[in-house]
Amino acid sequence: MKKGRVFSGARPTGRQHIGNYLGAIQNYVGLQEDYDCIYCIVDIHALTTLEDTHLLKENTREMILDWLAAGLDPEKSILFVQSHVPEVMELHTLLSMVTPLSWLLRVATFKEKVKSQPHNVNYGLVGYPVLMTSDIVLYKADTVPVGEDQLPHLELAREIVRRFTYLFGEVFPEPKAKLTTFPMVIGIDGERKMSKSYDNDIVLSTSPEETVARVSTAFTDPARRYRNDPGHPEVCNIYSLHNFFNPGRVEELGVQCRGAAIGCVDCKKLLAQGINAELAPFRERRAEIAGRPGYVDEVLSDGAGRAHAIAAETIREVKEKMGLP
Ligand code: SF4
């Protein structure tokens, strides 16, 4: 017996990095055992901020390859692309009629976007939480894995569901948060969260050699200017990454760093070795899946078909409850 139905979506950001892997992807893989999982690449959401869309298709394919190689199993989970099930846009329109504009205008992320992209404050941006709610409730998901910072978004989804239920009757379960602690993975700039847009990421599917080269450029303890200077591992991101990729050596490396018994060049080489060892099976599987002609399209088409079957029934119920002729 599964515990419930999980929905989670991620934007098509292309080849994934170790921050995505340690955060979302490993969590997705684990949830498959206990829940019916629906994982979606939310390409329509991406349009609220993207002005250039020529990479959308390629990024979607690269991301699905990473998901499959990391262990997302199309036999266990539904994997699909948001725009392949157009009922979500229909539900978005219907739910937008029951969502007061004032609720959307006070959303913190909307206000941030107004500041960060003042030249592109589009209609989709303000309706983003309604589309997100539609994503979840169209499939009657009752569980949404979220970090603490995303709780307000889920609460808004729950408010929209409650308002729909109050006005028209029950169709959707109120989705509950499955609070998840996502490790904060800092990028190789040593300052900001790892992200493709900051160009501070380490991509999962690069070669071992590229990984070594990438890690070698990472920032370390800024106070350690010479090889003989004692280091401060607690302020060094290379050290925190050893926690994930060389967990058995963290203590020893900390002592060596503080006593200047190891230099940063060697310490980085050890980290790159750890990353390459951890990712070797992933990279092998990814190459094998990428070599199967038509496989990714098959997975996405099958996922869209299964998602559509649920979505069509929900839309039928919604229209009936709303009294649409
Ligand atoms: S030795 Fe390692 S932990 Fe210490 S400062 Fe250099 S890279 Fe960081």
Side-chain angles (χ1 to χ4, degrees):
M1 270 297 277
K2 297 276 173 135
K3 290 182 190 162
R5 180 175 287 166
V6 158
F7 179 93
S8 189
R11 286 174 174 235
T13 49
R15 295 202 292 163
Q16 301 289 279
H17 53 65
I18 60 175
N20 304 127
Y21 180 70
L22 297 168
I25 300 175
Q26 284 193 335
N27 184 46
Y28 280 4
V29 173
L31 286 170
Q32 293 183 123
E33 302 311 318
D34 296 329
Y35 293 85
D36 285 324
C37 294
I38 302 181
Y39 296 128
C40 178
I41 296 200
V42 290
D43 54 344
I44 304 294
H45 280 293
L47 298 179
T48 59
T49 52
L50 278 187
E51 287 167 74
D52 180 355
T53 58
H54 78 280
L55 285 175
L56 265 181
K57 277 187 189 158
E58 188 187 325
N59 282 348
T60 299
R61 181 185 154 79
E62 295 289 351
M63 203 162 151
I64 281 286
L65 279 172
D66 283 340
W67 280 8
L68 293 168
L72 284 189
D73 181 349
E75 300 285 321
K76 293 181 184 162
S77 301
I78 296 180
L79 310 177
F80 74 108
V81 176
Q82 188 184 26
S83 65
H84 292 178
V85 184
E87 282 86 352
V88 76
M89 291 173 264
E90 201 174 355
L91 186 59
H92 172 234
T93 302
L94 296 173
L95 289 184
S96 70
M97 307 304 172
V98 304
T99 308
L101 184 59
S102 58
W103 291 6
L104 301 174
L105 292 175
R106 71 177 187 225
V107 172
T109 45
F110 172 66
K111 292 180 187 166
E112 281 161 24
K113 287 284 182 234
V114 169
K115 280 191 195 145
S116 65
Q117 54 179 66
H119 58 288
N120 184 21
V121 182
N122 57 70
Y123 173 62
L125 210 51
V126 74
Y128 190 103
V130 185
L131 184 56
M132 193 197 84
T133 305
S134 307
D135 282 323
I136 300 165
V137 301
L138 181 61
Y139 305 105
K140 298 200 177 179
D142 50 24
T143 308
V144 182
V146 285
E148 202 146 346
D149 57 327
Q150 294 161 313
L151 278 177
H153 294 146
L154 191 66
E155 193 44 46
L156 180 49
R158 288 160 57 85
E159 277 183 70
I160 295 172
V161 168
R162 285 197 287 269
R163 185 157 164 80
F164 181 94
T165 307
Y166 171 73
L167 291 171
F168 301 111
E170 200 173 320
V171 174
F172 313 115
E174 252 183 62
K176 291 186 300 292
K178 179 165 176 49
L179 251 191
T180 311
T181 318
F182 297 105
M184 172 66 121
V185 181
I186 302 295
I188 58 170
D189 57 3
E191 284 179 7
R192 293 172 295 184
K193 189 175 167 182
M194 187 174 285
S195 163
K196 192 177 192 170
S197 49
Y198 297 143
D199 190 26
N200 66 358
D201 56 341
I202 300 169
V203 171
L204 296 172
S205 54
T206 49
S207 67
E209 297 73 24
E210 283 168 322
T211 304
V212 172
R214 188 75 171 150
V215 172
S216 74
T217 64
F219 280 75
T220 60
D221 170 12
R224 193 173 186 204
R225 295 175 57 204
Y226 301 105
R227 169 68 181 76
N228 292 335
D229 291 343
H232 306 85
E234 61 283 355
V235 300
C236 175
N237 189 40
I238 293 293
Y239 186 68
S240 51
L241 288 172
H242 277 298
N243 279 304
F244 301 115
F245 296 101
N246 285 318
R249 300 192 62 175
V250 172
E251 212 165 305
E252 162 204 350
L253 286 168
V255 172
Q256 288 180 334
C257 172
R258 283 188 194 93
I262 186 170
C264 294
V265 172
D266 289 333
C267 189
K268 287 176 178 179
K269 276 186 192 153
L270 282 175
L271 175 63
Q273 276 170 17
I275 295 173
N276 285 334
E278 162 86 15
L279 294 181
F282 163 90
R283 288 169 175 166
E284 203 177 307
R285 255 194 321 272
R286 194 185 199 277
E288 188 266 314
I289 296 167
R292 291 191 216 164
Y295 180 67
V296 167
D297 290 340
E298 257 172 52
V299 167
L300 291 180
S301 162
D302 176 66
R306 287 154 68 200
H308 170 75
I310 307 169
E313 178 54 23
T314 307
I315 287 290
R316 192 196 59 72
E317 283 178 56
V318 168
K319 285 181 169 173
E320 196 178 299
K321 290 274 189 206
M322 291 182 92
L324 291 174

